[in-house]
Every structure is written in structure tokens, then in C-alpha cells.
Amino acid sequence: MNRTGTRALALGAVVVLGLVAGGGQSVGQDRVGAPRAAAQAADRAAAEAGGRAVAGDHSHPLGKSDIPWSGSPSPFNAQVKLADGRRVAMYYLRDKGLFVQDYSPTAKGWSEPAAVHRTTADACQGITLKAKDGTVAAFGDFGPYCADGEPPTASVAAVAVGPLTTWDKHVTKNFDGWEKIVVAPGGKKVTFSRGSDTLLWTKAAGFPAAR
């Protein structure tokens, strides 16, 4: 079930507002304008309280999947570029789940890796990323026996907007995985689909309750 929480922390003369939407975890980064140390301390406290991971500033190298793949490129790494020059990268880590980093063309570096979805299940298939009008959407799949060729048992859909500091997440269980993402003009709506099955995210309401 979706929920929206708002936090306000006074950092000198700066007010930091954080928004967590949806029924799953979201990931955050330093808020622009706050002193780095103070912002990181505030984000760490909020992360512990709200169950989200802190991504940090844009001074980190780009990570990649540690799951072996015989060909190239590996489907366990994905990247998309936004119109303003920012980039988003996602990758699977063995026994850890799905992770994300975003690139700042101003800082010329990547954010600290942060978990979108934590699981010890095997990664299945590839990661799909789409970006349009400031909205980034992605999906990845997991299952206990995917490394042995079995189909996934859970599909993770995720969406971030604006500064990409938080990710709404939806997990569909007992499902073979989404196949397509359509981001509507303006980035206010995202549709995930597989055949006749669809999942809708909206900027106003987020995801529906997980099934």
C-alpha cells in the first residue's frame, strides 16, 4: 500500500525535505546546498528511520555486476542517459540484489552505490532502464534457481524522478517478469507490461499495493 512521508530537518538556514513514496524501499543522496558532513549525517539518520539507503555525493567510481557472464556486454549491467546529461546505472550484485548509481555531469562522478532491492535470490535475465522528461524507470527479475535456468519468481519495478534521490519500488511475486516500459510524455506516468498484464506508476500516487 502506498504511503507518503515528509521529513524536515533544520541544517543551519537550510531546510531539507525528503519524500518517500510507495510500499518498498527508496534510495537517497545528499541534498544540494547543505554542508556535506551535515547532510550525510542527516541522511544517515533519516535512512535508519525510514528504511532507505544513502547514496552519498557524486565522487565515486561506477560499479558493475560481480555475477559472471560469458558474453559481452553483460545483461546484468544497464545504463541510461537523461536529456540533461545525467546518467543512471543499475546492476545486480551476487546475494545482495539490485543496486543503482547516478552520474552528475557537473561533478563528473557517480553517487555511492545504493540498494533499490535487497535479496539473496539469483538475478534473472537482464535489467531494463528507460528515461524520459526527468523520469527514470527500471525493472529487474529474481528467482531462487535462475542461475540454473529456471524462470524468475519476482519482478522488481522502480521509478525515480527529478533529482533521482528516491526510488519508488514495487515487487510482483510469482511472476515471469515485466517485458516493456513506457514512460508517458512529461514523465508523469509509467506503464510496465507483459502481455495483457500491466503495472501503472503515477507521479501523483506512486505504485499500487504489491501483489
Side-chain angles (χ1 to χ4, degrees):
M1 186 174 182
N2 293 312
R3 61 184 178 83
T4 301
T6 304
R7 64 176 175 83
L9 297 176
L11 298 175
V14 180
V15 176
V16 179
L17 296 179
L19 174 65
V20 177
Q25 299 172 340
S26 53
V27 297
Q29 300 167 350
D30 283 354
R31 303 302 188 260
V32 176
R36 180 177 299 177
Q40 288 177 339
D43 269 351
R44 279 193 294 272
E48 293 174 359
R52 64 180 177 84
V54 178
D57 61 26
H58 293 83
S59 62
H60 302 270
L62 175 62
K64 64 178 182 179
S65 177
D66 59 357
I67 302 173
W69 182 259
S70 58
S72 181
S74 168
F76 299 151
N77 297 292
Q79 193 174 139
V80 68
K81 186 175 182 179
L82 283 70
D84 58 9
R86 292 180 297 162
R87 285 180 276 168
V88 171
M90 281 191 177
Y91 46 91
Y92 296 128
L93 292 179
R94 185 197 299 270
D95 298 327
K96 293 182 179 179
L98 179 63
F99 282 71
V100 65
Q101 290 177 263
D102 70 270
Y103 176 83
S104 166
T106 302
K108 299 187 184 304
W110 292 85
S111 63
E112 183 179 355
V116 174
H117 178 68
R118 291 187 180 275
T119 180
T120 58
D122 294 341
C124 299
Q125 308 165 148
I127 300 167
T128 297
L129 268 171
K130 291 287 180 71
K132 188 172 185 177
D133 296 335
T135 294
V136 182
F139 65 77
D141 305 306
F142 296 91
Y145 305 110
C146 279
D148 299 324
E150 293 295 317
T153 57
S155 190
V156 180
V159 179
V161 300
L164 308 178
T165 54
T166 62
W167 287 82
D168 289 350
K169 183 186 74 173
H170 184 283
V171 180
T172 305
K173 298 181 179 180
N174 301 315
F175 186 61
D176 284 344
W178 301 111
E179 293 180 323
K180 186 178 180 181
I181 298 173
V182 175
V183 182
K188 294 183 178 181
K189 181 174 72 173
V190 179
T191 303
F192 299 81
S193 63
R194 180 184 182 90
S196 60
D197 290 321
T198 60
L199 171 66
L200 181 65
W201 173 94
T202 65
K203 195 171 184 178
F207 283 115
R211 71 183 191 188

